[in-house]
Amino acid sequence: MSADSAVLSLVRELISRPSVTPDDVDCQMLLAQRLEQIGFRCETIARGGVTNLWARRGKSAPLIVFAGHTDVVPPGPRDKWDSDPFVPTERDGYLYGRGAADMKSSIAAFVVAAERFVAAHPQHEGSIALLITSDEEGPAVDGTVIVCDELKARGEQLDYCIVGEPTSGDTLGDTCKNGRRGSLSGRLTVKGIQGHVAYPHLARNPVHQLAPALAEIAATEWDRGNEYFPPTTFQVSNLRAGTGATNVVPGEAVVLFNFRFSTASTPDSLQARVHAILDKHGLEYDLDWELGGEPFLTPRGPLTDALVEAIRAETGVTAELSTTGGTSDGRFIAKICPQVIEFGPCNATIHKVNERIELAALEPLSNIYRRTLENLLLPR
């Protein structure tokens, strides 16, 4: 096998396995077989139908971890795809298939990068590990989070972590994620008294009561962000009330909303401020909160410098550090690893019909991961 075909060959094998969350379909077994051949000790940590792989080579610090997921989202109607989503297909300079960009190409690039690095530097300092789950696209309760809990309990210290999420925009290497905003959702039920619209004095309209409070919440400046994060945002995602009839005052109004928040705010501070506004307006209400993920941030330092330098050396592109987008498993890893960054291929087609990755990006992607290992583990 030529060097140029190594990443492509492995990603084709991975795409051909229909590993829709939480089914791994032995993707991780395939990875473990490859990694064990170059001295990795591989361990499966399974729970709740989810498969997780922890593979480590070396015992000394620093420990550099590549993290990702073998699970993919469902492909949707097969007849909408130009080719079978689980038959990797090369067409017009692209590789098509579910998971091509999110994120089986990154995983293949991880493995090939490790193979090449170890072949060139078998006595390298430090340690290399892969943390792979089949539960990133789903509930994410039996995946990366339980591996992190296990590693913490063992006292295994992670120093650097690269999550292979597809972060690039227009071209490979233009964007890395050195943090992510947190996600805090709420379900607000405002209680009224149902009645006939012709006798409003016998009813209490929760929509009328809610409106000024909701307007104040929507107009509130929660924070101003910071060097790395934009200001925290509040958005209503659903509002419903009433029976569907035009002559009935509703008995309750239900609002679903979400905060995407920066490190300039905390879940506790946001919750307290919302409750204060609702209480000020005299509402009778119930409010249930769900913390989807806390924000994390890796300031400029050894990991960001090593990755940005590797991208520039391989592609000539100067990467931008960004904290935009949704949540990722980086939020779990950041609790046990001081430096976490996300980097992977272009994300224009992720979760879409005809998901694809440019064939010409596969080799450079693996080389960037390999160069980052060199920058962090080899004497300078």
Side-chain angles (χ1 to χ4, degrees):
M1 181 183 299
S2 68
D4 289 344
S5 67
V7 184
L8 174 60
S9 177
L10 181 52
V11 73
R12 287 178 63 92
E13 287 191 75
L14 293 171
I15 290 173
S16 67
R17 300 173 187 236
S19 53
V20 176
T21 312
D23 296 327
D24 178 64
V25 197
D26 290 336
C27 287
Q28 293 174 31
M29 181 182 297
L30 173 64
L31 303 178
Q33 290 171 348
R34 294 276 292 257
L35 294 168
E36 286 173 346
Q37 292 177 11
I38 57 171
F40 279 77
R41 183 178 61 83
C42 297
E43 174 186 3
T44 296
I45 301 173
R47 191 176 77 178
V50 173
T51 305
N52 304 294
L53 172 66
W54 173 247
R56 176 170 179 165
R57 185 183 197 275
K59 297 181 179 179
S60 61
L63 171 57
I64 303 169
V65 179
F66 291 116
H69 58 92
T70 49
D71 62 316
V72 297
V73 295
R78 300 295 180 97
D79 60 356
K80 300 295 184 181
W81 287 71
D82 293 335
S83 54
D84 190 312
F86 295 114
V87 176
T89 304
E90 297 174 40
R91 187 170 63 249
D92 301 324
Y94 290 90
L95 177 66
Y96 288 82
R98 177 57 86 220
D102 188 14
M103 55 176 287
K104 291 184 174 180
S105 290
S106 294
I107 291 174
F110 288 162
V111 172
V112 174
E115 290 172 337
R116 293 173 179 168
F117 178 80
V118 169
H121 312 284
Q123 304 301 320
H124 65 84
E125 297 180 359
S127 303
I128 307 169
L130 274 74
L131 195 172
I132 309 295
T133 184
S134 70
D135 185 37
E136 195 274 346
E137 299 288 8
V141 297
D142 293 314
T144 298
V145 63
I146 72 163
V147 180
C148 290
D149 289 344
E150 177 66 23
L151 296 176
K152 182 178 180 181
R154 295 178 186 174
E156 290 198 57
Q157 176 60 53
L158 282 60
D159 297 290
Y160 308 111
C161 180
I162 300 173
V163 184
E165 290 291 341
T167 61
S168 299
D170 296 327
T171 187
L172 178 67
D174 59 9
T175 307
C176 305
K177 306 285 188 179
N178 66 319
R180 293 277 190 166
R181 294 176 297 174
S183 176
L184 177 66
S185 297
R187 178 188 176 92
L188 171 64
T189 302
V190 178
K191 301 175 182 179
I193 299 176
Q194 183 174 306
H196 196 294
V197 296
Y199 301 94
H201 60 289
L202 300 178
R204 188 173 79 238
N205 196 318
V207 177
H208 294 183
Q209 292 188 303
L210 167 66
L214 188 59
E216 181 174 346
I217 293 171
T220 296
E221 180 183 81
W222 304 97
D223 58 52
R224 297 185 178 181
N226 53 39
E227 177 186 359
Y228 297 100
F229 286 97
T232 291
T233 61
F234 167 87
Q235 289 293 317
V236 171
S237 56
N238 190 280
L239 193 159
R240 62 181 183 272
T243 64
T246 60
N247 61 351
V248 178
V249 174
E252 66 178 26
V254 179
V255 182
L256 306 182
F257 61 86
N258 178 265
F259 284 100
R260 290 301 164 107
F261 63 102
S262 73
T263 52
S265 291
T266 67
D268 288 343
S269 70
L270 295 173
Q271 291 178 38
R273 294 176 69 184
V274 169
H275 280 284
I277 293 172
L278 297 174
D279 293 342
K280 183 180 73 172
H281 286 269
L283 301 183
E284 182 184 356
Y285 68 91
D286 292 324
L287 179 49
D288 298 318
W289 295 96
E290 181 179 357
L291 180 61
E294 296 189 44
F296 71 90
L297 175 66
T298 297
R300 291 175 178 85
L303 179 57
T304 60
D305 291 349
L307 179 58
V308 169
E309 180 183 330
I311 293 169
R312 186 183 299 113
E314 183 65 26
T315 67
V317 174
T318 299
E320 174 189 357
L321 299 180
S322 170
T323 59
T324 59
T327 60
S328 77
D329 276 1
R331 68 191 189 274
F332 304 126
I333 300 169
K335 293 181 179 297
I336 63 169
C337 183
Q339 297 188 50
V340 178
I341 197 165
E342 300 177 18
F343 172 69
C346 293
N347 56 24
T349 63
I350 62 174
H351 292 208
K352 293 183 179 181
V353 167
N354 292 326
E355 181 180 351
R356 68 184 188 179
I357 186 172
E358 190 174 7
L359 287 164
L362 293 173
E363 183 72 10
L365 178 61
S366 185
N367 286 341
I368 289 168
Y369 294 143
R370 174 184 53 79
R371 288 178 184 270
T372 304
L373 288 174
E374 294 170 351
N375 291 341
L376 291 170
L377 293 182
L378 298 184
R380 303 302 295 270

